[in-house]
Amino acid sequence: MTTRRFLCLSLGALALCGCRGTATPVPVVAGDTIAHARAEIGDAPPPLRRQLAEGEVTATLRRISRRLEPPAWELCRDLGVGACDWYVAASRSRQLNASAGLDGRVAINRGILEYARSDDEVAFVMAHELAHHAANHVESARDDTSAGAAVGGLLAAVAVAAAAASGARTGAAENRRMIENAAGTGARIGRLAFSQAQEREADRLGLLVLHRAGYDPALARHFVVTMARASRRGEGQRLFETHPSGPERLAAFDATLAELRARGGTLPLRAG
């Protein structure tokens, strides 16, 4: 086996093993509910982008942030694992996306508001990103980036040493480049946003925050369908690189909403 092929296989295994855990239970959805969700998404009309007045994005995000932050802080304190210090900022990007960053930043793209039909829909997206902070997903992703770089570099060093022992002749500069490239690839694999389990957890906890803030989760549900439809058209592709598939996400949303209603507006935050 060549050194490069060994590295490709090893880094591929690293990617497959990058399954980060969750702080709370996440819903498990059955195949029939996913099939129903897939049919609903397929029958839904294409999402429509609306024009926004100057300053509407900032005003809307401020209004929603003020309402979401008290229950989000309460949730973060209840979980006791994340950093309860964040701020919401608007991004000019028209892509249907949002993100949570290491500096406590929650960025909501303009594209989210252009496709949203109500504050409830935008609030669900924002609550999802706040939940990433509350559940410590952002810090764990940083740790995975460092670990991925270290593992990638180590694998490359082992491959180079094995090649030299078998008689392969490569220069020191080429070996160094190979190790640096492998470390970079490992880092990229490690920082592939959040695991799908963590994305499901952020949806679940975000839905709880949404309910506690007095928004209507049933109205927010439409945006899950919108994002799924947009991803099929390529407009939400980046958002769905690490998220569960649209039908799976919709089915999990429905399962969480049913549980939330059955429990009188609460959800268990610990297993068991």
Side-chain angles (χ1 to χ4, degrees):
M1 182 183 295
T2 66
T3 303
R4 292 186 183 279
R5 187 178 179 190
F6 170 81
L7 277 176
C8 289
L9 291 174
S10 300
L11 290 171
L14 174 63
L16 291 174
C17 292
C19 304
R20 306 174 194 102
T22 61
T24 65
V26 294
V28 178
V29 291
D32 57 339
T33 59
I34 296 175
H36 287 306
R38 182 177 295 109
E40 179 181 349
I41 292 168
D43 292 339
L48 298 177
R49 189 190 294 268
R50 64 191 179 97
Q51 296 297 316
L52 298 177
E54 190 68 27
E56 187 174 353
V57 170
T58 302
T60 300
L61 294 183
R62 284 177 179 168
R63 180 173 67 247
I64 295 172
S65 178
R66 284 195 297 266
R67 192 164 161 183
L68 284 180
E69 284 187 343
W73 281 326
E74 180 185 0
L75 172 68
C76 188
R77 290 192 296 268
D78 289 345
L79 291 175
V81 296
C84 310
D85 184 19
W86 50 67
Y87 65 99
V88 177
S91 166
R92 294 181 180 179
S93 171
R94 301 189 70 197
Q95 193 165 32
L96 192 62
N97 203 1
S99 61
L102 279 171
D103 58 354
R105 179 186 179 94
V106 169
I108 309 294
N109 286 5
R110 180 184 182 91
I112 292 289
L113 283 82
E114 289 178 338
Y115 278 107
R117 303 191 306 183
S118 67
D119 277 12
D120 304 84
E121 296 185 359
V122 179
F124 174 64
V125 175
M126 188 184 297
H128 172 98
E129 301 303 336
L130 292 174
H132 275 311
H133 283 292
N136 202 39
H137 297 166
V138 180
E139 289 294 329
S140 68
R142 181 184 65 175
D143 293 343
D144 285 342
T145 299
S146 299
V151 172
L154 178 61
L155 289 172
V158 170
V160 167
S166 66
R169 295 182 177 275
T170 55
E174 182 180 350
N175 289 339
R176 184 170 58 253
R177 277 196 306 272
M178 186 177 299
I179 293 172
E180 290 173 351
N181 290 340
T185 300
R188 287 191 294 274
I189 291 172
R191 68 168 177 260
L192 283 176
F194 311 112
S195 73
Q196 290 199 9
Q198 288 177 332
E199 292 296 347
R200 287 193 293 270
E201 182 177 40
D203 273 354
R204 178 178 180 271
L205 296 177
L207 197 51
L208 178 61
V209 170
L210 193 73
H211 172 79
R212 288 179 175 178
Y215 287 104
D216 187 347
L219 293 179
R221 181 185 185 276
H222 177 265
F223 205 63
V224 181
V225 178
T226 295
M227 289 187 287
R229 284 288 295 172
S231 70
R232 294 173 60 178
R233 300 169 63 196
E235 297 182 42
Q237 184 175 0
R238 283 182 58 194
L239 180 64
F240 279 86
E241 285 175 355
T242 55
H243 287 67
S245 69
E248 182 183 353
R249 193 176 191 188
L250 180 60
F253 184 101
D254 288 342
T256 301
L257 181 55
E259 182 184 10
L260 189 64
R261 288 170 171 168
R263 292 178 175 271
T266 64
L267 290 173
L269 299 181
R270 298 290 183 270

